[in-house]
């Protein structure tokens, strides 16, 4: 539990099923999805994790029956050496946890399964700051799911944050560094941030970006590389990238996510990061 | 301690005597008239008795059984006497002010009083007279007096037994006499009240007088005996009790303490035993009758806090340092580790498997040293408890990690343990069960940074200390006033419903303590302004974290050697008594933590003013809705069974509680100046008594307090009610209520003085009393004047006379009954009852005396008065909560009057102007409770400014027209105090569930 925040050794990803283009759940307008571009983004994403950052990447095979399976983040919440296998709010995605559970078991994590049928939780609603959890209460995540998460990770405070307008809490926020919360500029995002600030005993710094979706980034603290931040590209959110670029001490790695965003995919969505060296 | 106690007792006695002497001079002539009056009074007394019996039944069966009947007659007599005495003492101007009713009363009363005085003189028993003086203060004083009397009786008994070889019968007689005396005193107190209110029935008074005379005669005899015994008593007063303290390593520490020792004495003994210097993070706790963990208030008598519970305590961490690495000494860290191991093993501090294993491994390293493969097989840790549900897997993980700590010293291992434990989200969080405005079960977590709100395991809100403007509680409700946010214009108040009043008080106290300890640089000094605020004035009086850190930095000693007990012992302890505690904590902690403080009190910024709250309660509830997220959850109400507790406490505790109170009062010394003035006015005797009572109330906790309060209130009212008009009774009540409001603040300051006064009363040495009087005299004078004014006003304010009277009667009955039990051994039950009542009466009387002879009376008792005030407040709160009242409209009136005071007043007030004159509380379960607080500030010109705060609590079913009752009360108040103006009326309507209060 006390491992350094952002320290990861492994990443679990999942290949893209063709069904993503046609059957993926989406909150936005049904925009044409270019599967090849999605594939490109995915491959770049994996290569960054593997080649650029040196993580051990565990790639799960795609399952055509699970069009959204690429968004592995929602299927599990890993903190320390414990993994909570979630019960996804979207019924069509419930089976995504099977492969994830197997993979995390192989990694030697303590597996906790969410068996309560009244509980729903998706990883996209879980923001772990290194000190505590914030769980967005959304269409996909309910109170009971948050309770089970709190029960699973007893060391940490778990606060709930109502999520409006967006699919997940992390659609407009994420950790951009130790005690640094990247947050969108929208009213919804700012409101959520205020709630989080009030709920926490800790004073977090905030990195406000103009675009809510750009606030979803991936922070890592890797040996030999220091602070690493995977963030959106200038093509998608030029103004927000300028904000990221102010983080002089971070290794900034723009990662394209334009196509996946059409199906509510974000950067954090596509991997479950694990630190096997944690106590 | 013993020596101190003795002195205290002496002092108390002295004050009493002094007032008596004064009275005596006046009354000598009246002796004969009194007798006839007594004959008249008898009917009254009889009437009073039934009332008392009634009251006793509802409030405390035990008391009734003990000596309701006997007590009642004496009480009435005492009341009559007191009235007489009061009238005598009352200065002419006072009489005028008091109004026609008073005059009438004075006429009738004067005659009776004179006899009483004569009797007293003859007897040379200070108690009676002092009691009479004390009567002016009102019910509160009487309560205190009763307590004191009880204490005295006990002491006397002890002394007699020990020192004197007098035949047992003699002892019994003494006890009886004492009881009688007390009763008489109480009656005297009531008498003054009657006078003030109105000499409703001269005939009654006369009857009372007759009775009183008779009683007095008896008392005289008794007094003589007592006087003889007194020296012995002084020596014997030091009763020792063995305290058992469970230490953090599970071992038991036994320590003999004086029975009236304060909490800090025992705490220091324990710390000394542990060789602990950084002790401010720790405290002693005990289980109350409801098995709730309560913190022992170091500034108050142990006995009064634990009440009837055993002298069994637990030494534990009270304030978890957020950064243990900043502790100076390893031994401190070690003790913190032990506490956390308990917390973890009990489940109170939840943590993950990995954390359990890691912390467990550090524990092993600290206690066993490096892992030895040969010596430390897997089963070597089976005796250790690392988690509530310990698995083999966990033990294996612990061993695995233990191996990795090779080379780590015990101190290093402890430090690592703490570095990991402090990060746990529930580290240092004191949980209390509560419900939000929508009756959804939540948990209130008090921690170093503020207040956390949990629903199930989720944090749903958080209020950091800087965001909280005020913390308060009323009844079973707990409120926090929130600083407006950036975009908000108005403050908001959030309310929570606790299982009961005591739980609400506990949370409040824990908040006050945590806020002070972690957020302030130094404890907030009780200020005079507090007097005007209702609610307890409890404050954290220890060092803050900043202060203790500073002090720790000065520690200059070689690291003390200490032996780390093995976790095995810890685990055992956990399984055994410690474990029980822990488990209880998990459930009870929620409400228990606060208990330590015991008394209500507005703390710092977090004051809990019932008044303000009252206004906003509805709003608060609305605000609570904002927290509505929590609503969904079920109700997990964990109401505490208070009624049973109540009964228990009522039955056995009166005497003990009284004693404890006395001790506690001294500690509160800071407010002294204020309290002193108030005390002085009331009269030395009264003040001591009052002090003792208030202390008792505080210490005893709510239930006990209530009882005591009730007793006091009833005493003064009861005597009055029979004889005088209902209005008088109300006055007394109002007085008490005022005291309640200010009680807390007063407590702190006055505690020391109060205790002293109590002791004095008990011992009764005239000489000593005089000395005490001299000291306190100036304040008393000042106070006395204000008191007189206040008292008249109070009656007017109290419109619920009729209702109040019954209540008072009930209260008196209760009080009497307890006293009777205590003194039951003594032959005359009525006497006993009288004694009990007398304390109250005495209190009132003392007030009167003070008025008449402000300076003289004041001397010894001013501090006591303060304490009285305090106790009253406690009792008031306790009453409210404990006594289930569905709707309580509170009328708060402030009146300012300029009273002339003798030069002595200045001396008393020298340091600061604010002095509490008198405080009395009268409570009745179904009727109205009026609490009047007199705050007298001494101005430089020798003038004093008196404010009278009256709090009228109307409790009853919906069938009662509260509005009408309120209007009547206000009207009466105006009529009664034509020379005073009503500056503020606050009506608070509260609907509570009887269940909560029990």
């Amino acid at each position: 539990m006390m491992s350094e925040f952002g320290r990861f050794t492994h990443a679990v990803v999942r290949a893209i099923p063709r069904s993503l283009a046609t059957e993926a759940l989406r909150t936005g307008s049904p925009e044409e999805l270019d599967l090849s571009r999605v594939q490109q983004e995915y491959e770049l994403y994996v290569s960054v994790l593997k080649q650029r950052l040196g993580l051990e990447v565990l790639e799960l095979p795609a399952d055509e029956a699970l069009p959204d399976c690429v968004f592995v983040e929602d299927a599990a919440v890993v903190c320390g050496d414990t993994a909570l296998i979630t019960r996804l709010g979207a019924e069509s995605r419930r089976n995504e946890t099977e492969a994830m559970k197997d993979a995390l078991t192989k990694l030697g994590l303590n597996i906790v399964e969410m068996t309560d049928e009244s509980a729903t939780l998706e990883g996209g609603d879980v923001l772990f700051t290194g000190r505590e959890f914030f769980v967005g209460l959304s269409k996909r995540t309910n109170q009971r799911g948050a309770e089970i998460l709190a029960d699973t990770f007893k060391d940490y405070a778990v606060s709930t944050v109502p999520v409006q307008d967006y699919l997940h809490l992390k659609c407009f926020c994420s950790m951009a560094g130790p005690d640094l919360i990247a947050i969108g500029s929208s009213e919804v995002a700012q409101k959520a941030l205020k709630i989080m600030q009030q709920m926490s005993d800790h004073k977090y710094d905030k990195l406000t970006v103009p675009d809510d979706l750009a606030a979803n980034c991936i922070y890592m603290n890797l040996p030999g590389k220091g602070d690493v931040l995977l963030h959106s590209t200038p093509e998608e959110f030029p103004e927000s990238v300028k904000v990221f670029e102010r983080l002089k001490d971070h290794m900034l790695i723009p990662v394209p996510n334009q196509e996946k965003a059409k199906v509510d995919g974000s950067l954090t969505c596509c991997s479950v990061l694990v630190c096997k060296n944690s106590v | 301690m013993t020596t101190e106690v003795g002195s205290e007792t002496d002092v108390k006695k002295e004050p009493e005597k002094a007032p008596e002497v004064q009275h005596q001079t006046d009354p000598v002539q009246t002796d004969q008239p009194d007798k006839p009056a007594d004959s008249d009074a008898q009917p009254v007394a009889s009437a009073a008795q039934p009332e008392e019996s009634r009251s006793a039944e509802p409030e405390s069966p035990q008391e009734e059984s003990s000596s309701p009947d006997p007590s009642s007659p004496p009480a009435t007599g005492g009341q009559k006497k007191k009235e007489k005495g009061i009238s005598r003492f009352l200065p002419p101007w006072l009489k005028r002010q008091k109004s026609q009713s008073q005059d009438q009363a004075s006429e009738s009363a004067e005659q009776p009083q004179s006899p009483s005085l004569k009797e007293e003189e003859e007897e040379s028993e200070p108690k009676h007279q002092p009691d009479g003086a004390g009567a002016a203060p009102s019910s509160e004083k009487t309560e205190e007096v009763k307590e004191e009397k009880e204490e005295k009786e006990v002491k006397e008994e002890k002394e007699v037994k020990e020192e004197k070889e007098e035949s047992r019968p003699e002892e019994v007689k003494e006890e009886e006499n004492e009881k009688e005396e007390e009763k008489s005193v109480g009656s005297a107190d009531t008498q003054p009240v009657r006078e003030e209110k109105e000499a409703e029935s001269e005939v009654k008074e006369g009857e009372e007088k007759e009775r009183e005379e008779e009683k007095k005669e008896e008392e005289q005899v008794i007094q003589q005996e007592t006087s003889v015994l007194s020296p012995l008593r002084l020596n014997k007063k030091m009763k020792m009790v063995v305290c058992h303290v469970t230490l953090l390593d599970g071992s038991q520490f036994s320590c003999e303490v004086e029975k009236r020792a304060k909490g800090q004495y025992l705490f220091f003994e324990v710390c000394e035993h542990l060789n602990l210097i950084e002790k401010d993070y720790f405290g002693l706790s005990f289980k109350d009758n409801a098995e709730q963990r309560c913190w022992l208030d170091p500034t108050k008598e142990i006995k009064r806090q634990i009440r009837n519970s055993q002298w069994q305590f637990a030494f534990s961490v009270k304030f978890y340092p957020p950064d243990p690495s900043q502790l100076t000494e390893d031994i401190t860290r070690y003790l913190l580790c032990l506490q956390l191991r308990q917390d973890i093993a009990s489940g109170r501090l939840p943590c993950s498997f990995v954390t359990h294993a890691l912390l467990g491994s550090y524990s092993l390293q600290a206690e066993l040293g490096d892992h030895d493969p040969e010596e430390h097989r897997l089963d070597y840790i089976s005796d250790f408890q690392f988690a509530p549900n310990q698995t083999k897997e966990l033990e294996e993980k612990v061993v695995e990690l233990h191996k990795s700590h090779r080379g780590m010293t015990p101190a290093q291992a402890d430090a690592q343990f703490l570095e990991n434990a402090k990060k746990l989200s529930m580290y240092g969080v004191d949980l209390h069960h509560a419900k939000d405005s929508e009756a959804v079960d939540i948990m209130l977590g008090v921690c170093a940074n503020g207040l956390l709100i949990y629903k199930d395991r989720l944090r749903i809100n958080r209020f950091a200390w800087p965001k909280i403007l005020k913390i308060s509680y009323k009844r079973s409700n707990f409120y926090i006033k929130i600083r407006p946010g950036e975009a908000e214009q108005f403050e908001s108040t959030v309310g929570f419903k606790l299982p009961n009043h005591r739980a609400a008080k506990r949370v409040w106290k824990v908040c006050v303590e945590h806020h002070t300890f972690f957020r302030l640089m130094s404890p907030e000094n009780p200020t005079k302004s507090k007097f005007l605020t209702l609610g307890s004035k409890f404050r954290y009086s220890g060092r803050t974290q900043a202060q203790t850190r500073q002090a720790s930095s000065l520690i200059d000693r070689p690291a003390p050697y200490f032996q780390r007990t093995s976790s095995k012992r810890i685990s055992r302890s956990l399984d055994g008594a410690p474990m029980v505690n822990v488990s209880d904590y998990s459930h009870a902690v929620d409400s228990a933590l606060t208990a330590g403080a015991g008394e209500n009190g507005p703390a710092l910024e977090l004051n809990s003013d019932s008044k303000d709250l009252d206004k906003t309660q509805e709003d608060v509830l609305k605000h609570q809705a904002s927290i509505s997220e929590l609503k969904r959850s079920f109700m997990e109400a964990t109401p505490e069974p208070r009624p049973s507790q109540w009964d228990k406490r009522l039955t056995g505790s009166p005497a003990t509680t009284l004693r404890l109170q006395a001790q506690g009062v001294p500690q509160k010394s800071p407010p002294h100046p204020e309290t002193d003035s108030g005390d002085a006015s009331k009269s030395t005797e009264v003040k001591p008594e009052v002090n003792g009572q208030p202390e008792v109330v505080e210490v005893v906790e709510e239930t006990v307090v209530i009882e005591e309060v009730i007793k006091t209130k009833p005493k003064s009212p009861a005597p009055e009610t029979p004889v005088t008009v209902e209005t008088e009774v109300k006055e007394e009540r109002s007085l008490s209520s005022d005291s309640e409001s200010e009680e807390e603040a007063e407590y702190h300051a006055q505690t020391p003085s109060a205790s002293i006064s109590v002791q004095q009363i008990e011992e009764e040495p005239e000489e000593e009393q005089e000395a005490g009087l001299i000291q306190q005299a100036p304040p008393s004078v000042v106070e006395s004047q204000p008191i007189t004014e206040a008292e008249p006003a109070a009656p007017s304010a109290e419109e619920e006379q009729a209702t109040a009277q019954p209540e008072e009667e009930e209260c008196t009955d209760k009080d009497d009954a307890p006293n009777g039990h205590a003194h039951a051994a003594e032959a005359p039950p009525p006497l006993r009852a009288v004694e009990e009542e007398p304390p109250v009466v005495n209190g009132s009387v003392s007030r009167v005396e003070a008025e008449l002879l402000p300076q003289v009376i004041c001397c010894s008792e001013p501090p006591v008065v303060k304490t009285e005030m305090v106790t009253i407040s406690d009792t008031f709160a306790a009453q409210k909560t404990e006594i289930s009242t569905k709707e309580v409209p509170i009328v708060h009136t402030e009146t300012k009057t300029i009273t002339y005071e003798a030069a002595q007043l200045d001396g008393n007030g020298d340091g600061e102007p604010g002095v509490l004159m008198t405080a009395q509380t009268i409570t009745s379960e179904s009727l109205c409770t009026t609490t009047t607080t007199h705050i007298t500030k001494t101005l430089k010109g020798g003038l004093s400014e008196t404010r009278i705060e009256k709090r009228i609590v109307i409790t009853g079913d919906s069938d009662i027209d509260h509005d009408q009752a309120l209007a009547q009360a206000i009207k009466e108040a105006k009529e009664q105090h034509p020379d005073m103006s009503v500056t503020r009326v606050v009506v608070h309507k509260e609907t509570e569930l009887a269940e909560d209060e029990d």
Side-chain angles (χ1 to χ4, degrees), chain A residues 2-23:
Chain A
M2 305 307 173
S3 63
E4 206 173 330
F5 180 64
R7 178 69 47 85
F8 298 110
T9 58
H10 294 68
V12 179
V13 298
R14 194 160 190 178
I16 297 171
R18 289 190 303 276
S19 56
L20 177 68
T22 55
E23 301 175 36

Side-chain angles (χ1 to χ4, degrees), chain B residues 672-681 683-684 687-688 691 750 753 772-773 775-780 783 857-867 908 915-916:
Chain B
H672 291 303
E674 297 175 355
T675 55
D676 292 348
S677 65
D679 294 344
S681 64
S683 76
T684 56
K687 294 177 181 179
N691 293 337
Q750 298 175 348
S753 64
L773 292 174
Q775 295 174 351
Q776 298 175 350
S780 66
E783 293 176 357
I857 296 169
C858 298
C859 344
S860 60
E861 296 176 311
V864 178
V865 175
K866 292 179 181 179
T867 55
N908 294 339
V915 177
L916 293 179

Side-chain angles (χ1 to χ4, degrees), chain B residues 528 531 671-681 687 742 746 750 779-780 782-783 786 862 865-866 869 905 908-910 912-918 934-938 945-946:
Chain B
K528 297 174 181 178
F531 288 101
H672 291 303
E674 297 175 355
T675 55
D676 292 348
S677 65
D679 294 344
S681 64
K687 294 177 181 179
E742 300 174 355
E746 295 175 359
Q750 298 175 348
S780 66
V782 175
E783 293 176 357
V865 175
K866 292 179 181 179
M869 297 290 289
L905 296 176
N908 294 339
D910 51 358
E912 296 177 357
V915 177
L916 293 179
M917 297 300 291
T918 61
H934 298 270
I935 300 171
T936 303
K937 293 183 179 180
T938 304
E945 179 182 275
T946 302

Side-chain angles (χ1 to χ4, degrees), chain A residues 83-99:
Chain A
L84 173 64
I85 307 302
T86 65
R87 187 170 181 277
L88 288 94
E91 275 196 50
S92 64
R93 299 185 62 188
R94 295 268 162 83
N95 289 335
E96 291 181 20
T97 57
E98 294 177 3

Side-chain angles (χ1 to χ4, degrees), chain A:
Chain A
M1 82 175 241
M2 305 307 173
S3 63
E4 206 173 330
F5 180 64
R7 178 69 47 85
F8 298 110
T9 58
H10 294 68
V12 179
V13 298
R14 194 160 190 178
I16 297 171
R18 289 190 303 276
S19 56
L20 177 68
T22 55
E23 301 175 36
L25 301 170
R26 49 175 79 186
T27 58
S29 56
E31 213 173 329
E32 184 75 17
L33 191 71
D34 185 338
L35 204 58
S36 65
R37 284 191 65 183
V38 172
Q39 188 65 34
Q40 281 179 9
E41 289 175 3
Y42 171 76
E43 287 172 3
L44 180 58
Y45 184 90
V46 171
S47 73
V48 167
L49 297 178
K50 192 181 292 184
Q51 273 78 44
R52 186 86 182 266
L53 301 177
L55 297 182
E56 202 165 315
V57 176
L58 203 62
E59 182 174 7
L60 306 179
D63 187 337
E64 291 300 330
L66 302 170
D68 291 300
C69 68
V70 65
F71 305 126
V72 290
E73 177 188 49
D74 292 326
V77 177
V78 176
C79 182
D81 65 350
T82 300
L84 173 64
I85 307 302
T86 65
R87 187 170 181 277
L88 288 94
E91 275 196 50
S92 64
R93 299 185 62 188
R94 295 268 162 83
N95 289 335
E96 291 181 20
T97 57
E98 294 177 3
M100 178 60 67
K101 178 186 168 189
D102 292 343
L104 296 177
T105 303
K106 283 180 188 171
L107 288 175
L109 297 179
N110 300 315
I111 304 297
V112 177
E113 292 190 78
M114 192 175 285
T115 55
D116 189 329
E117 293 191 353
S118 67
T120 62
L121 180 80
E122 293 191 355
D125 278 319
V126 179
L127 177 65
F128 178 64
T129 69
R131 300 175 181 275
E132 62 192 312
F133 284 97
F134 293 106
V135 177
L137 297 180
S138 66
K139 293 172 183 172
R140 300 285 184 85
T141 299
N142 63 20
Q143 181 100 9
R144 182 64 189 139
E147 288 173 19
I148 292 172
L149 181 129
D151 219 10
T152 303
F153 303 105
K154 290 194 177 76
D155 293 347
Y156 299 101
V158 178
S159 305
T160 55
V161 183
V163 173
Q164 298 171 338
D165 297 352
Y166 284 97
L167 178 65
H168 286 142
L169 174 66
K170 282 198 282 190
C171 286
F172 52 80
C173 69
S174 64
M175 296 307 292
D179 300 333
L180 177 62
I181 297 177
I183 187 74
S185 300
S186 72
E187 193 177 332
V188 169
Q190 291 296 318
K191 189 176 176 184
L193 177 65
K194 277 198 170 178
I195 292 173
M196 289 190 283
Q197 287 174 331
Q198 179 179 338
M199 298 283 243
S200 176
D201 289 327
H202 185 72
K203 290 281 185 192
Y204 293 101
D205 297 322
K206 64 176 179 178
L207 182 70
T208 306
V209 295
D211 308 288
D212 280 0
L213 292 180
N216 182 287
C217 55
I218 299 174
Y219 169 80
M220 289 186 238
N221 179 11
L222 301 178
K225 296 184 176 58
D227 296 326
V228 177
L229 192 66
L230 280 61
H231 61 81
S232 54
T233 61
E235 291 73 25
E236 298 169 79
F237 304 109
E239 296 304 317
S240 293
V241 171
K242 289 178 185 173
V243 175
F244 285 120
E245 286 172 348
R246 280 187 249 148
L247 299 172
K248 301 297 183 188
D249 295 336
H250 283 53
M251 176 192 288
L252 299 174
I253 306 176
V255 178
N257 195 51
Q258 213 160 0
E259 205 62 25
K260 283 184 290 187
K262 293 177 181 176
V263 286
D264 301 317
S266 61
L267 288 177
T268 60
C269 271
C270 299
S271 62
V272 170
L273 301 175
V274 177
C275 183
K276 273 210 65 178
N277 294 336
S278 63
V279 177

Side-chain angles (χ1 to χ4, degrees), chain B residues 611-901:
Chain B
K611 298 176 181 178
D612 299 350
L613 296 177
D614 296 349
K615 295 179 179 178
T616 57
Q617 281 185 344
E618 293 180 359
D619 297 347
V620 173
L621 295 177
K622 294 177 182 176
H623 291 293
Q624 291 178 346
S626 64
I627 309 172
S628 59
E629 297 176 358
L630 317 179
K631 301 173 182 177
R632 300 172 186 172
S633 63
F634 346 77
M635 308 272 299
E636 295 176 355
T638 55
E640 301 173 358
R642 291 186 178 179
S644 63
Q645 296 177 358
W646 216 71
D647 296 347
K648 295 176 182 177
R649 294 174 183 173
L650 291 173
T651 56
S653 58
T656 57
T657 55
L658 295 173
R659 297 172 187 171
L660 293 175
Q661 292 174 350
Q663 294 177 350
V665 176
Q667 295 177 348
K668 297 176 180 177
S669 56
H672 291 303
E674 297 175 355
T675 55
D676 292 348
S677 65
D679 294 344
S681 64
K682 292 177 180 178
S683 76
T684 56
E685 292 178 356
V686 174
K687 294 177 181 179
E689 294 174 354
V690 174
N691 293 337
Q693 293 177 350
E695 293 178 358
V696 175
V697 174
E698 296 177 358
V699 176
V700 176
E701 300 181 357
E702 300 173 356
T703 57
V704 176
V705 175
I706 294 170
E707 295 177 0
E708 292 176 353
V709 175
I710 294 171
K711 295 176 179 179
T712 57
K713 293 178 179 179
K715 293 176 180 179
S716 59
E720 294 176 0
T721 51
V723 178
T724 60
V725 180
E726 296 174 356
T727 56
E728 293 179 356
V729 174
K730 292 179 179 178
E731 292 178 357
E732 293 177 355
R733 294 175 182 176
S734 65
L735 293 174
S736 63
S737 65
D738 291 345
S739 64
E740 290 177 353
S741 63
E742 300 174 355
E743 292 171 4
E744 296 173 355
E746 295 175 359
Y747 283 129
H748 297 294
Q750 298 175 348
T751 313
S753 64
S755 62
I756 295 171
S757 65
V758 175
Q759 294 175 352
Q760 294 175 352
I761 294 170
E762 294 176 357
E763 291 184 357
E764 304 175 352
E766 295 177 357
E767 296 176 354
E768 293 177 356
Q769 292 176 351
E770 292 177 358
L773 292 174
I774 295 169
Q775 295 174 351
Q776 298 175 350
S780 66
V781 175
V782 175
E783 293 176 357
S784 65
Q785 294 174 351
I787 294 171
T788 56
E789 295 177 357
E791 289 179 304
S796 65
E798 302 172 354
E799 303 140 5
E800 308 160 352
Q801 299 171 347
T803 57
Q805 292 176 348
E807 293 178 354
E808 292 177 355
E809 293 175 358
E810 293 177 356
C811 295
T812 55
D813 292 350
K814 293 178 181 178
D815 294 346
D816 294 349
N819 293 334
H821 292 293
H823 307 288
E826 300 175 0
L831 293 176
R832 295 175 184 174
V834 174
E835 291 178 357
E836 293 177 354
E837 293 178 359
V840 178
V841 175
N842 292 343
S844 63
V845 174
S846 64
R847 292 179 183 176
V848 175
E849 292 178 356
E851 294 175 359
L852 295 173
L853 304 176
Q855 296 175 349
V856 176
I857 296 169
C858 298
C859 344
S860 60
E861 296 176 311
V864 178
V865 175
K866 292 179 181 179
T867 55
E868 291 177 354
M869 297 290 289
V870 177
T871 52
I872 294 168
S873 62
D874 291 348
T875 54
F876 186 74
Q879 292 175 349
K880 289 180 179 179
T881 55
E882 292 180 356
I883 299 172
S884 63
T885 54
K886 297 185 177 179
E887 294 184 357
V888 180
I890 296 173
V891 178
H892 186 70
T893 60
E894 292 182 357
T895 54
K896 290 185 178 180
T897 57
I898 298 175
T899 58
Y900 71 90
E901 295 177 353

